[in-house]
Amino acid sequence: MTEQEKNHALCDEEWQKRVTTVSSTPRIVTIETTSVCNIKCVMCPHGLDDKNAIYEHFPEHLVPKLKEVIRNASIVQLHGLGEPMMNPAFWDMLKMTHKNQHVAINTNGILLNKKNVGRMLATWLGEINFSLDAATHKTYQKIRGADFNLVIDNLRYLIAERKRLKRDRPYIFMNMTLMRENIEEAVKFVELCHELGADQVHFWQMNQIDEEKPWQVERDGWSFDYHQQLLSKHPKLSNEMIRKAEERAKELGVHLALDWAKKVFFDEDDHPEPEQKKVAEGEKPEIFSPKQCNAPWNWMLIKTDGYVVPCCFGTGTLGNINSLNPLEIWNGRVTRELRGYLLNDRIHPTCSSGVCKFISGQKSEEVENRWSAHNISKNMQGMVWETFVVLKTMAKKLVGENFWQIAKPQYFKLRSKVLRFINKP
C-alpha cells in the first residue's frame, strides 16, 4: 500500500469516527494555478469583463509551500478559474507530482500546441479535461468566442501522440457546461467524443446563482442571460436531451459522466421525475444535508491569492498560505470548527449560500448575526491584501521593473509577516 493509499484510508476513517482534529493530510489538493484566462466564456466571471476584477497567477514564491500538502495526496488538480498553461509556474507544480497520484487539469486547449503536448506527456499527468461546451463552431463561438477548429486540432494531436507512445494516460475528457444555448447539441457532443477517440464526456449544470444578481453578456448580436439559460427553466427539453445523449453514449460505448454535485434532471409538471414517483409510491426520496459532506476531511483548495477554501463551492476561507503553512490551516481553528458544524448537521459561515447539493444555497444561521474572529480576520486580510497590491503597483511605477525585481523578496517577506500576525489559527 502506497503512502497515498494509507492517507486516503485514514481520511475516511477519521470522518467516520467524527474526528475534528485529524492526523491525515488532504486526500484531494486543488491548486488554482491562475485566475487569468485567454478567453471570455459567457457563463464565467471573465465573460462579464469586470474592469475592477483582479486576476492573477499563483505566485512562484509560494510554490515550494505546496510540496508538503501535495506529497501524500491521492488526487492533485492544477486548475481553477483561468487557463493553467498561462502561468509559467504551472510546470513547476506539475513536476512536484509523482506516479502514485492522479494528477488532473482543466484546459480550454488553446495553448496545447505540439511543444506543450510534449511537455505534458513527459510528466505524470493522469487526466486532461477539455472545456468545450459545444459540438459546432457556431455554438462554440457564441459561448467561448474562440477558434473551435484550433482546439479540436490540438485535441486530435494529443490523442494521436498518446497513441503513438502507446500510453493510456493521460485520460482525455471533454466537458460540456449545459445551458439552453447548447443543450440541443448534447447528442452531437457525445458523437464528437467518439469520433475523436477521447475517453469520456462530462456534462455539468451551471450553478444556481442569486436571481437578483444580473448576468448578461452581449456577443456578436447575441444576448446571453445567465438566469434564462439555466436548464431548470427548461426542464422538459433538458431532460429529453440528456436522456438521448445517455442513450447515444451507450450505443457508441462512450463513457458519459453527469454532474455529481448538482441536480441533473429537473421536475416536470406533466412528466414527473423518478424522485417524484418514489414519493408517490410511499418511498423516501434522496435527501442531502450538511452532515453528509466529507470535504473538510478530504479536500483542500488553494486560490491564487493564497486563501484556502474547503472545496470549490466554499464561500468563506480557512486561512492563507502567505502567513501559514497549508497543514497548519488543515488543523487550524476554523477548519476544526467547520468539521464540528457539519458533524452536527449545521451550516458553517464558511459554507453559507454554497450551491453544492449538501447546502443548496442555504445560509448559515450565524452568518447574518455574528462577527466571528474568523470573519474579522478574513476582512482584515482582504484590506491588507488590497493595500499591498496597490503598494506593489505604485512601487513598480516609481522605481522601474529592474529595481522592483531586486526589492520583490523583501516586499513578499513583509506582506507574509503582516498576514501571519492577523491570521493565527
Side-chain angles (χ1 to χ4, degrees), residues 130-135 139 143 174-179 182-187 189-190 201-205:
F130 279 80
S131 296
L132 292 171
D133 304 324
T139 304
I143 295 172
M174 291 168 51
N175 291 336
M176 191 177 203
T177 301
L178 302 175
M179 63 186 78
N182 66 11
I183 188 62
E184 293 180 73
E185 290 188 6
V187 172
F189 197 77
V190 169
V201 167
H202 283 179
F203 283 168
W204 303 96
Q205 294 286 3

Side-chain angles (χ1 to χ4, degrees), residues 16 18 49 107 109 130 138 158 167 180 230 289 317 319 353:
Q16 291 164 4
R18 301 172 64 86
D49 207 17
T107 177
F130 279 80
K138 182 179 179 181
L158 171 64
R167 292 178 55 178
R180 177 61 188 89
L230 286 166
S289 67
T317 67
S353 302

